[in-house]
Amino acid sequence: MAAKSSDLVSSCNYKWTLFLIFVTFSSIITFAAAQRKEKDFEFLDNVRRALKNTAAANTLQDDEDFLGSGDQDDGSAVDQSTVAPSPTGLAAYPEYFRITINFTALGYTTALDSRDSPEFQNLARRIAQAIEALYNDVPGTQMVNILQFRNGSLLVTLDLGTQDFYERLRLYNTINDAIKSGFVGPYAVSSDAFTFRALGVSDGCPGYTGRATLGLSGLPSLTDNWANLMVDNSFECDGFVSEWEFYRGASSGEAFIGIWRNISTQEYVLLKKTALPPAPTGIQKVLLAPAWEVKKGDFIGIHHSRDSRSGVIASATQADQAVPYNELHRNYRARVFDDMIEENVTLDFSKYFGNFELRTFAISAPMEYELQLSPLEVAPQTPAPRRVCTSTEFTCRSNGVCVDASLRCNNHRDCTDGSDEINCPPPSCTAGEFRCNSGRCIDRRRRCDSVNDCDDGSDEQFCRKLLYHYKLPYPCKHFSPDPMFY
């Protein structure tokens, strides 16, 4: 009996041993699988991060226009040659152009100052649609975003984005040809003040000067209210500053961002400045329209009003250990305030206490560059063969576009050049209507009512003579003389 009990115990121990070996082996396999799964997810996260960084490095960012969210991403449209390939990477990213057009048939009102106003949004939508329609026959996708309206007649600043098509010459000629014709859609335009500039990197020139948008956040320091000249962080090429992007580290205090130029060892001149009134802390943006022209070697400067308690724009020094050493630049700090500075007047900084230091400011200046198109490249291109309009269509004169013949002489401009309304016979008016000299018909009772109902005022001509013929003591409001006296 004892032997049988001993065998039973041995058998149980053997089974428990096998069970423990199985559990241990399963745990090892499960742990290894978990580790591999964790590494797989880590790899996928790295891939996603790389994709995001690639997108950020090739896409313009701007929360006010096609440049995206200035708080999150940074990058520049990659400059292409005149006939440029698609940007490299996992996907084709848009390229952008900053354009100014003078719409002579439209007027400026203060309601157009606010991008949130119904007037701004309605007019912006109509103008964007008219410009995008010009690119209907251009490959790829073109997008228009209206940035600003300004006085004279109506100057419109906009961004043109293109994706999957990067032939700059054709993009330029498409809108330039329309402007030379005098019309963009139904709107009359002038070549005065017309500009077409590439945004971002161009022929080895950087897409921005200062810090990248990604690097604007996280700088821990504020300076005092002395002036700071970023003498070693200068513009590398002639170009145009389209806007200021900066991180405001203090909500109070008035600061100024300006373009400075070195005249001699310690003599500098402020070319232009922008006031930064009090605003909440965080990423801020100021659009410069028209863009400010800068020359190679000019640099950014920051100064304050005398009563500002501290600096306004966030910054960092080597002591902060917030940025790599190679992101710090030589900065000249001087006890100079706004009331001591005049634009375009040389200032001798040796007269004021100051010193050099290594510092970086949370400010970025996105750049525009003139398109470098040779005379041969901008020569008129041979137009593509035009479609022959059918007998039921009318051919517009300037571009050969076909419109339905029923639209001819309907008192509405259906061709962009208005040729469908040229040499039209005056409309026939009914017996109860008066025909204006312009050909328009109005109700006869509106003749001589002291209101210009005709566009040309012809309904109010010869009225005094008619009243005299009828020897009326006073004019009747709805006097309608017999045609035989007229």
Side-chain angles (χ1 to χ4, degrees), residues 371-450:
L371 288 182
Q372 300 299 320
L373 302 177
S374 69
L376 178 62
E377 290 170 332
V378 298
Q381 296 176 305
T382 303
R386 292 178 175 175
R387 180 173 73 85
V388 178
C389 300
T390 67
S391 58
T392 61
E393 295 176 317
F394 173 77
T395 305
C396 299
R397 290 183 181 178
S398 65
N399 54 15
V401 171
C402 303
V403 299
D404 194 278
S406 63
L407 302 177
R408 171 99 166 97
C409 295
N410 64 348
N411 287 321
H412 182 271
R413 185 195 298 270
D414 298 291
C415 294
T416 57
D417 58 3
S419 56
D420 58 316
E421 298 301 319
I422 296 176
N423 298 326
C424 294
S428 57
C429 302
T430 65
E433 294 178 320
F434 170 77
R435 191 177 74 197
C436 306
N437 290 346
S438 63
R440 180 185 174 191
C441 299
I442 64 171
D443 192 299
R444 288 189 67 87
R445 290 173 296 179
R446 294 161 69 181
R447 168 94 167 99
C448 292
D449 63 351
S450 300

Side-chain angles (χ1 to χ4, degrees), residues 353-366:
F353 181 79
N355 62 284
F356 283 98
E357 62 178 357
L358 292 179
R359 184 181 293 270
T360 181
F361 284 89
I363 184 170
S364 179

Side-chain angles (χ1 to χ4, degrees), residues 206 208-210 230-237 260 294-300 329-330 367:
Y208 62 89
T209 296
M230 303 160 61
V231 291
D232 277 2
N233 195 5
S234 59
F235 297 96
E236 297 182 24
C237 304
W260 290 77
V294 296
K295 297 296 184 182
K296 180 179 179 179
D298 293 345
F299 55 88
I300 302 171
H329 299 278
R330 201 164 63 110
M367 299 297 296

Side-chain angles (χ1 to χ4, degrees), residues 255-317:
F256 303 85
I257 304 177
I259 303 295
W260 290 77
R261 183 171 295 168
N262 182 218
I263 303 301
S264 64
T265 305
Q266 284 191 291
E267 288 187 328
Y268 303 94
V269 60
L270 174 66
L271 303 178
K272 275 190 174 183
K273 68 178 180 181
T274 302
L276 308 179
T281 59
I283 297 288
Q284 301 289 343
K285 196 181 298 287
V286 176
L287 179 68
L288 303 178
W292 290 5
E293 185 175 6
V294 296
K295 297 296 184 182
K296 180 179 179 179
D298 293 345
F299 55 88
I300 302 171
I302 303 168
H303 67 279
H304 306 84
S305 58
R306 189 181 293 270
D307 56 357
S308 291
R309 299 177 63 181
S310 69
V312 165
I313 298 176
S315 66
T317 64

Side-chain angles (χ1 to χ4, degrees), residues 8 136 197:
L8 182 61
N136 283 344
R197 299 185 184 124

